[in-house]
Amino acid sequence: MPLDLDWNSIHPLNGSKRDAFEELCTQLAQADRPADTRFERKGTPDSGVEAYVVHPDQTEWAWQAKYFQSMDESQWKQIDKSVKAALHGHPRLVRFMVCVSCNLPDGRVSKQKSGRDRWNDRVSTWTQMARKKRMAVEFVWAGSHELLAQLARPEHAGLLNFFFGGRHLDDAWLQARLMEAHQSAGPRYTPELNIRLSLAEQFHALGRTRQFFAGIQSKATDIKERLRSHVFSIIRGPDPAIDPLTASARAACNAALSAFVSLLDDPLLAAPLDKLHASLREAVVEIDALLSELWKLADAAKAAQAAAGTSPSAIADHASHGLRELRSRLADTYDVVSKHRDIVDRKLLILTGEAGSGKTHLLCDLAQQRLDAGLPTVVLMGQRFLEAGDPWTQALQQLDLQGWSAQEFVGALEVLARLAGRRLLLIIDALNEGAGARLWREQLAPFLGRMDASPWITIVISVRSSYVDDLVPKQVAGAAFHLEHRGFDNVEFDATRTFFEHYGIDLPSTPLLAPEFRNPLYLKTLCKGLRDAGKTRLPRGFHGVVSAFNLYLSGVNTRLAVDLDFDGRMELVAKALDCVARRMVAAKRSWLPFAESQQVVDALLADRTYSRSLMAGLLGEGLLVEERYWDKAANQHAPAIIIGYERLSDYLCVRAILEDALAAGDVRSAFKRGGPLDLRALSEEWRSPGFHEALHILVVEKTGKELLALVPV
């Protein structure tokens, strides 16, 4: 049943109701086009067409929209003009839909033409015009009644809400929600500190951005230049062995160039890279066959020349050089296309990585870049899912959409994507945070299922590597493209230089090889700590590492003192880590059950809700990290806590062991077999190389003697 709507109540787009009506008609056309067609939205001038689709046989359907309140002679002349332009600009047109915001009157009054009569007369005239151009075109009227009937269908609820409802999403809403996500990210997102990472290109492929497809097409330039250099002019005169191979290789290369030209950035097209991928592979295979035959001929020629006692010729080697260069360009491009061929067809990406590796920063920065480019993006922060109840209720509250249904929200996201003509990215950062361990194991699949039917919505999920198996169901993981964030791995120098220059720290004379410097959160907090302490140089050696960690802890303590409202002079951060390390030493392992850690840490700042607790603060800063351990009694995985940086954990544990062991004053007895510093026992209990490095250095510091001198023979 058609809706009862007044077209005058349509929400303006770009300040214009006409633009809004044209966009609505275009989106209805795009949504209802045949599945095997390519959709094209036109700008201005439009050749009499707002949008059109191209069928596999290259014939076209086109749409023209007119925001008219009535149909007088002036309006008919405007439609005439559009039809003429469409017939001229689209010679393969077979259907032309005229969308108008009013109905055709059909009064059938004597000696007076009705609107329906005028339409029929126009169709007759336009049909004759088409025939003169050897075209057969069907002209279809889509007036107010037809458009409202189409708009009333359930799948168009998002369009109805956007163009006529009291609630809809827009660019201002997207920016406001992203700012809230940035605030939630806190120190994990620093927009002024960006290090270019190779995995960023994967997100362009996932979103099917124009930038990604343009980058792929740009690789055709080198191939084209190689072909223009007469690489197939190999030998003089006809040769029955070489000529067919040359022809096949040339044809395959030309087919690859054609595939570049026909590459489409359609956000809905299935397998857009497949044709290019296959043509590049075929071109490489054909050139390999040609090169193989050339090398056989060259070897035969060299053997004949050697038998005749003449000097070998380098002509064949010189001729094949250009082919090898061409093959190299084709193979390199083939590798790039292969790398992205799978991800462009996926609707879900799972980003994993260790704590502090920069997943949150990467996703927050990706969202900002996309919004700046006009690409719709929504970010949900895992830490703000605080209950094990319905995740959709919590998500909509987080997005300031209380009272919306999941269906309304998904429909609104689709509209945003269609308006942009690109896929929308919905990002869920840090599944493992908040109530994630209790929430997502059962709820992730149905949560994502609400968006499965939409080809316009693509999901990005980040989760700490150790939580993937526990929080992501197998059917979800199997449908996803998996990407690992390794922090600043392989770009440590660029990252260190950028951070040190930003915070005014002198660059070290030797590369920083410590693993902590691959961790973006550590690097940032350290640099800030050095700057706030008035230092411009990084301390050296083991004690330099300790000093660096102390500066790091001091910086975190200052920040948490403000956020959690405690006296910064209490140094609760350092005390909490020392308490955790002592419990680890007592248990003779490098982790503690979550509940035990929480009890120890929160005793230092009691009577707080979880979100305002010291435990939550240390987890948020990455100083404590939640992992999993196997609980034998319960026969299942259970949450555990480790200190976020292994070398810091090693140092704190060794310090605790030495302080307790040496308290009695009898140094040598502490190192005897069975004593607290029995080196053999410590080697079995603590296998980390960093632990034993700290042990050797701190023993000298505490006793004035080398460790090996104190160990009984």
Side-chain angles (χ1 to χ4, degrees), residues 187 521 525-526 528-529 549-564 566 573-574 577 614 617-618 620-623 645:
L521 187 59
T525 307
L526 171 62
K528 190 174 184 301
F549 274 124
N550 287 336
L551 284 170
Y552 177 42
L553 298 184
S554 176
V556 173
N557 191 82
T558 300
R559 184 160 56 246
L560 289 183
V562 174
D563 293 346
L564 302 180
F566 65 81
V573 169
L577 293 182
L614 184 58
L618 295 178
E621 292 288 342
L623 279 172
Y645 301 98

Side-chain angles (χ1 to χ4, degrees), residues 11-12 158 161-170 173 401 404 412 416:
H11 297 314
N161 194 38
F162 183 88
F163 286 100
F164 293 96
R167 305 175 299 178
H168 68 275
L169 311 183
D170 55 18
W173 179 88
L401 296 175
W404 281 48
L416 289 175

Side-chain angles (χ1 to χ4, degrees), residues 58 64 71 79 329 350 474 522 544 609 633-634 657:
Q58 300 305 304
Q64 174 60 252
M71 292 299 297
I79 297 177
R329 300 296 188 277
I350 296 177
K474 289 183 178 180
Y522 172 82
T609 61
I657 290 172

Side-chain angles (χ1 to χ4, degrees), residues 368-400:
Q368 188 63 67
Q369 289 183 22
R370 282 179 54 86
L371 286 188
D372 291 344
L375 301 172
T377 310
V378 177
V379 179
L380 291 166
M381 303 299 288
Q383 69 200 68
R384 296 177 67 183
F385 288 87
L386 301 176
E387 301 173 0
D390 178 25
W392 271 111
T393 300
Q394 298 182 72
L396 293 170
Q397 288 175 345
Q398 186 177 151
L399 296 172
D400 196 26

